[in-house]
């Protein structure tokens, strides 16, 4: 897996949009961003340029409008960020991370617990 810089909160918001609509132009991405907040087109453009420099997105310049795509899938990004969180905050312990996540959430649904049990069984049987 490529080890890219961790996206900032704003970059993650943009990536979340891009994972749904990419490949996309700056205009298409900006139209989605302004549905949830106020920002200028030039700010969106600058953010995408910075994300491109960091390697978080790719840019196709063959057309009049540049087309952007995330470098990593949502799942790959989640895995990379979770691995970093596990190592930096939980001393590399996945059990500490999971226990903290489950132990501090009053909102864990039964369906989520069932998914977790199924995953544990799958891992144990592998």
């Amino acid at each position: 897996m490529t080890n890219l810089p961790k996206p900032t909160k704003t970059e993650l918001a943009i990536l979340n949009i891009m994972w749904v609509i990419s490949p996309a132009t700056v205009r298409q991405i900006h139209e989605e961003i302004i549905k949830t907040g106020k920002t200028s087109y030039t700010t969106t453009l600058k953010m995408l340029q910075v994300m491109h420099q960091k390697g978080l997105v790719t840019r196709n310049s063959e057309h009049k409008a540049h087309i952007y795509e995330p470098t990593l899938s949502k799942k790959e990004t989640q895995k990379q960020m979770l691995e970093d969180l596990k190592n930096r905050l939980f001393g590399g312990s996945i059990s500490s991370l999971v226990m903290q996540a489950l132990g501090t959430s009053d909102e864990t649904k039964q369906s989520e617990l069932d998914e977790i049990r199924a995953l544990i069984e799958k891992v144990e049987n592998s």
Side-chain angles (χ1 to χ4, degrees):
M1 175 174 43
T2 307
N3 199 10
L4 295 173
K6 288 177 287 307
T8 65
K9 184 178 178 181
T10 302
E11 290 167 345
L12 268 177
I14 293 171
L15 285 170
N16 274 305
I17 290 168
M18 294 179 74
W19 286 319
V20 175
I21 67 165
S22 73
T25 63
V26 177
R27 175 127 348 258
Q28 291 168 316
I29 296 164
H30 180 69
E31 286 172 5
E32 292 299 315
I33 290 173
I34 60 175
K35 289 179 181 178
T36 58
K38 190 171 185 178
T39 188
S40 69
Y41 176 86
T42 54
T43 299
T44 301
L45 173 61
K46 183 64 179 169
M47 285 301 305
L48 286 165
Q49 289 170 339
V50 168
M51 291 170 72
H52 179 255
Q53 289 173 338
K54 289 170 83 174
L56 296 172
V57 297
T58 60
R59 179 176 63 202
N60 181 335
S61 306
E62 293 177 12
H63 307 284
K64 182 178 178 183
H66 292 174
I67 308 293
Y68 288 87
E69 286 188 74
T71 301
L72 299 177
S73 70
K74 185 173 188 172
K75 188 171 189 128
E76 291 168 323
T77 301
Q78 289 171 334
K79 184 176 180 180
Q80 181 177 314
M81 292 184 74
L82 187 59
E83 186 69 22
D84 180 67
L85 179 67
K86 178 189 77 167
N87 291 332
R88 287 188 307 120
L89 196 56
F90 295 96
S93 171
I94 193 70
S95 62
S96 294
L97 184 148
V98 171
M99 289 190 308
Q100 179 69 20
L102 289 176
T104 59
S105 177
D106 297 330
E107 301 173 11
T108 306
K109 299 175 188 152
Q110 185 61 48
S111 61
E112 292 173 318
L113 291 172
D114 293 342
E115 283 183 59
I116 292 166
R117 278 189 195 92
L119 179 60
I120 291 170
E121 286 179 22
K122 181 180 174 186
V123 170
E124 286 177 340
N125 295 328
S126 295

